[in-house]
Amino acid sequence: MKNKFVQAILVIALGSALVSSCKPKNSGDAVSGDAAQRVYVAPGKYDEFYNFVSGGFSGQMSVYGLPSGRMMKVVPIFSVDPESGWGFSEETKPMLNTSEGFIPWDDQHHLELSQTNGEVDGRWIFANANNTPRIARVDLKRFKTSEIIELPNSAGNHSSPFITENTEYVVAGTRFGVPGDYDKGDVPINTYKENFKAHISFIKVDKESGKMDLSFQLRLPGVNFDLSHAGKGKSHGWFFFTCYNSEQANTLLEVNASQNDKDFIMAVNWKKAEEYIKAGKGKIEKTKYAHNTWNDETHTGTSVIKDEVLVLDAMAMKDICYLMPCPKSPHGCDVDPTGEYIVGSGKLAALIPVFSFDKMVKAIGKKDYEGDYEGIPVLKYNSVLHGEVQKPGLGPLHTEFDGKGNAYTTFFVSSEVVKWDIKTLKVLDRVPTYYSVGHLMIPGGDSKKPFGKYLVAYNKITKDRYLPTGPELTQSAQLYDISGDKMKLLLDFPTIGEPHYAQAAPADLIRNNGQLKIYDIKKNNHPRVAKGEKETKVVREGNKVHVYMTMVRSHFSPDNIEGIKVGDDVYFHITNLEQDWDVPHGFSIRRAQTAELLIMPGETATLNWKPSKVGIVPFYCTDFCSALHQEMSGYIRVSPAGSNVPISYSLGTNLPASSTK
């Protein structure tokens, strides 16, 4: 078996080398003649769709317009952002807090738009942090991160953040088996099978506010969860996860975690789990995790450390989880719009297995098992199988749906997207990608109602696609028209970071959903707000100095400050007095040890500065705001520690009187 596996690895490695160095065979007529016209969005016109793309190792989310491919915004989530001051301002620092302190970076892989009745509703988008397990909720009225919750008992939050059809839960499966936080963690690594477990987290979402709460976790065998999707329609109440490393290997996983002919798709009956929780079968376990929330009225983030979580041992309950055998090392796990078909993608397989929900339910009813895996029933492969797509390509990864009975699967090794019929399993079309495609996205393609006009492929390799930029080239997104029988390549455009999963929705669904244009300064309840220039002041409290400052086109108030001393801890609480859309102001001070601030109209933000050198220090606006933007600046006098220069401040006059003290 090992020899066969090594041969398979060599085939895949050779295939990867080939697609990295030469074009796919069918690339001659890849771009249609009218492609430029079809992606052109004239000046003053809007794109049809918002495309939300994961930033991978950037930790952020980027927003593009489709079909133009124009990048509209980078939304900071899990990594500090010098452009906006995210993670640098005193208000946003708590949003990056964890049970282990402030963490300024993470690896953001997957995104999921909120849904109502299984359809995209455009209210929120959820994002996962893979490295330090966390889930974030971004408010699409403001395009700002509103909440981040850390996941205890988890290591590598890859299989997330996938949602149930009414956004009842955001669900997350751990990538790595590890001892639970409540278990003894100091154990030999080679005791994996005895001591390592996996946890799936169910995060409740308030249907009105979107507020998240870690409701419960399921304790499971120490397999690696890869990806997941919720059931919908007839399969609502279930969740499906791909699992690999059923061998529970702990070293050289590329070999030792690929010994078994099949791994699993795990089907989780979360409604049954809820029943057990209500019956008191769960156990409160001690742990620590951070729950960070943003307050729109105070413009401030708050971090609370929680110390317990409700855990249900799914291995002890025989009717919560079931395993469906799937070709080894499965990656994508996708559910069609009807909720009947579950597609597994074995990365080392030369076929695509499609499972039937109805057959699964019947097999469970008849206890048509081939055994169990650590107490979890394993259903017979043929009893749950709808069928197999034969010879579709090499290296299947992910599948999305167009709502017309068709599925589209990416193939990493053969660098292509393949279209196939869900019921007949016949291959209908294939197009090349450039190159080594990973995820793909159809607007609404994982919902009950896909919009089915475009498909975007997210590629890992872009040799010969863009101007060279040194040893690393940008990642590539490629837009295809899927409205007809044949797929047509329209456009490719570069992306930030490494895109993994993405989501898209009609622009009007989000643009017309009460988007915030300004913060009403009358409702600004920041504890240090100055709602007008008459409220500006500078206050010394020991070695702390609080500057209550305002900004408006084109000056700061105050713009001359004296009495600051070396060693002081200075807090600039700055309020943007503008009440006009798209008039932010920036603030930066010479030799600041942190980033600038970018402050929206009506918002208050705080920058902490510790002067270390005597002298005159200028500050200025960093975001172009008017013809007199260059004049929007000011000065601070920094005196030696222990000097007797009093605090004074002014605007428009040379006050205080000239002094050399």
Side-chain angles (χ1 to χ4, degrees):
M1 183 178 290
K2 285 187 177 181
N3 288 336
K4 289 182 179 178
F5 172 73
V6 171
Q7 290 173 4
I9 290 296
L10 289 173
V11 168
I12 289 177
L14 178 60
S16 297
L18 288 172
V19 299
S20 300
S21 59
C22 62
K23 297 180 180 180
K25 293 180 181 179
N26 54 344
S27 63
D29 59 349
V31 182
S32 60
D34 64 345
Q37 180 179 351
R38 296 182 63 186
V39 301
Y40 177 67
V41 178
K45 300 295 183 181
Y46 293 134
D47 280 280
E48 296 175 62
F49 292 90
Y50 283 99
N51 183 201
F52 303 94
V53 184
S54 68
F57 44 68
S58 79
Q60 318 295 35
M61 177 182 76
S62 53
V63 184
Y64 298 83
L66 296 179
S68 73
R70 300 178 296 194
M71 188 173 77
M72 308 298 182
K73 187 176 180 65
V74 174
V75 179
I77 303 178
F78 295 115
S79 296
V80 294
D81 180 47
E83 179 182 337
S84 66
W86 181 258
F88 290 103
S89 73
E90 296 304 297
E91 288 81 4
T92 60
K93 285 178 182 177
M95 297 300 290
L96 297 181
N97 189 43
T98 73
S99 60
E100 298 187 37
F102 180 83
I103 295 182
W105 171 86
D106 217 303
D107 188 16
Q108 197 278 299
H109 276 216
H110 304 123
L111 298 162
E112 187 85 334
L113 284 163
S114 57
Q115 296 180 13
T116 300
N117 298 322
E119 298 179 17
V120 171
D121 61 27
R123 294 189 294 167
W124 313 300
I125 191 165
F126 299 91
N128 73 327
N130 193 30
N131 185 268
T132 300
R134 286 170 285 176
I135 298 292
R137 176 175 59 87
V138 177
D139 183 345
L140 293 181
K141 289 185 178 180
R142 298 178 295 114
F143 280 64
K144 187 165 185 174
T145 302
S146 291
E147 194 171 9
I148 297 177
I149 190 166
E150 186 181 2
L151 302 179
N153 302 314
S154 185
N157 177 36
H158 189 260
S159 188
S160 69
F162 297 99
I163 63 169
T164 52
E165 68 174 30
N166 286 297
T167 321
E168 296 97 337
Y169 290 105
V170 178
V171 181
T174 184
R175 176 178 176 181
F176 305 106
V178 291
D181 295 344
Y182 51 85
D183 289 329
K184 180 182 178 182
D186 183 16
V187 296
I189 296 174
N190 64 8
T191 64
Y192 189 117
K193 293 184 179 180
E194 293 78 24
N195 293 309
F196 288 40
K197 299 299 176 186
H199 290 76
I200 294 175
S201 303
F202 284 78
I203 301 164
K204 194 76 173 174
V205 181
D206 184 271
K207 64 181 181 180
E208 299 298 332
S209 68
K211 188 178 185 303
M212 301 188 295
D213 181 64
L214 181 53
S215 183
F216 65 92
Q217 294 183 317
L218 297 182
R219 187 172 186 257
L220 293 157
V223 296
N224 296 46
F225 289 105
D226 202 338
L227 281 167
S228 57
H229 269 97
K232 54 179 73 79
K234 63 169 62 179
S235 55
H236 177 59
W238 290 79
F239 231 98
F240 303 94
F241 298 81
T242 45
C243 313
Y244 65 103
N245 194 20
S246 56
E247 300 84 353
Q248 297 193 37
N250 58 272
T251 183
L252 198 62
L253 263 62
E254 63 181 342
V255 173
N256 294 322
S258 298
Q259 297 299 303
N260 296 336
D261 287 336
K262 287 184 170 63
D263 285 300
F264 303 112
I265 287 179
M266 180 181 288
V268 178
N269 186 339
W270 58 264
K271 286 193 175 287
K272 180 64 68 173
E274 284 184 327
E275 291 177 13
Y276 281 119
I277 294 293
K278 290 178 182 177
K281 299 295 184 181
K283 182 181 179 182
I284 297 293
E285 300 286 2
K286 291 295 182 182
T287 183
K288 287 189 180 300
Y289 65 96
H291 188 178
N292 308 330
T293 55
W294 183 261
N295 187 310
D296 268 333
E297 294 182 354
T298 63
H299 305 179
T300 301
T302 302
S303 181
V304 176
I305 300 296
K306 299 187 176 182
D307 60 6
E308 61 184 30
V309 63
L310 183 62
V311 178
L312 182 65
D313 188 348
M315 295 176 288
M317 314 295 173
K318 304 300 182 184
D319 53 358
I320 296 178
C321 299
Y322 301 88
L323 296 170
M324 296 187 287
C326 188
K328 68 174 65 178
S329 300
H331 188 53
C333 183
D334 303 284
V335 181
D336 88 305
T338 70
E340 166 62 13
Y341 301 109
I342 303 109
V343 182
S345 297
K347 292 180 291 186
L348 305 181
L351 54 82
I352 303 173
V354 182
F355 301 95
S356 163
F357 177 74
D358 286 343
K359 287 186 175 182
M360 184 196 80
V361 172
K362 289 179 182 178
I364 291 171
K366 295 190 298 183
K367 296 188 177 181
D368 197 2
Y369 307 148
E370 65 177 38
D372 74 88
Y373 182 86
E374 294 196 20
I376 298 177
V378 180
L379 298 163
K380 291 181 179 178
Y381 182 71
N382 289 328
S383 296
V384 296
L385 187 70
H386 166 61
E388 297 171 338
V389 183
Q390 297 293 326
K391 299 180 180 179
L394 294 175
L397 291 184
H398 301 280
T399 300
E400 293 250 310
F401 308 92
D402 63 5
K404 304 171 186 176
N406 303 310
Y408 300 74
T409 300
T410 55
F411 290 84
F412 177 81
V413 177
S414 52
S415 286
E416 58 186 335
V417 175
V418 174
K419 176 182 179 181
W420 49 276
D421 186 282
I422 301 171
K423 290 186 177 179
T424 68
L425 306 177
K426 291 182 179 179
V427 172
L428 304 175
D429 190 25
R430 61 179 71 237
V431 292
T433 59
Y434 303 89
Y435 307 99
S436 298
V437 62
H439 281 273
L440 79 164
M441 184 283 306
I442 294 172
D446 66 342
S447 70
K448 278 186 180 179
K449 186 182 177 181
F451 298 96
K453 184 174 183 179
Y454 298 119
L455 178 153
V456 182
Y458 300 95
N459 304 308
K460 305 300 183 184
I461 297 170
T462 58
K463 292 178 181 177
D464 79 23
R465 303 307 291 174
Y466 306 112
L467 288 172
T469 51
E472 184 187 21
L473 301 177
T474 181
Q475 313 292 326
S476 170
Q478 294 190 293
L479 177 70
Y480 296 84
D481 171 23
I482 60 169
S483 60
D485 292 335
K486 297 294 183 180
M487 295 177 278
K488 295 180 180 180
L489 176 62
L490 300 179
L491 177 72
D492 56 14
F493 54 94
T495 63
I496 68 162
E498 180 191 357
H500 290 264
Y501 196 37
Q503 296 271 276
D508 287 348
L509 182 67
I510 295 170
R511 181 169 62 95
N512 299 334
N513 193 22
Q515 279 213 9
L516 184 75
K517 295 185 176 180
I518 63 169
Y519 292 93
D520 186 344
I521 199 164
K522 296 176 183 177
K523 297 179 181 179
N524 182 333
N525 291 322
H526 190 287
R528 306 274 187 176
V529 65
K531 295 185 178 181
E533 292 183 0
K534 291 182 179 180
E535 297 180 16
T536 60
K537 57 187 175 181
V538 181
V539 179
R540 175 176 289 281
E541 298 174 357
N543 71 331
K544 290 185 177 181
V545 178
H546 293 277
V547 179
Y548 296 74
M549 181 178 283
T550 61
M551 45 173 47
V552 70
R553 286 168 287 186
S554 295
H555 65 268
F556 295 93
S557 177
D559 64 1
N560 281 202
I561 301 173
E562 299 193 15
I564 305 297
K565 304 172 187 177
V566 171
D568 278 345
D569 209 5
V570 184
Y571 292 86
F572 294 92
H573 310 289
I574 309 174
T575 301
N576 182 348
L577 296 180
E578 307 284 358
Q579 292 288 269
D580 192 6
W581 188 20
D582 194 31
V583 189
H585 290 294
F587 175 82
S588 181
I589 184 167
R590 185 187 181 202
R591 298 197 187 106
Q593 297 87 6
T594 186
E596 50 116 42
L597 296 180
L598 188 61
I599 308 172
M600 298 301 113
E603 185 181 24
T604 301
T606 302
L607 182 140
N608 179 223
W609 174 58
K610 297 180 181 180
S612 60
K613 188 176 181 180
V614 171
I616 301 298
V617 181
F619 57 88
Y620 64 100
C621 177
T622 57
D623 191 316
F624 186 88
C625 54
S626 73
L628 298 177
H629 168 70
Q630 287 293 94
E631 284 76 12
M632 191 169 175
S633 61
Y635 292 100
I636 294 178
R637 175 186 175 187
V638 179
S639 300
S643 70
N644 60 359
V645 177
I647 288 287
S648 61
Y649 52 94
S650 62
L651 170 68
T653 58
N654 287 318
L655 294 176
S658 176
S659 171
T660 58
K661 293 182 180 179

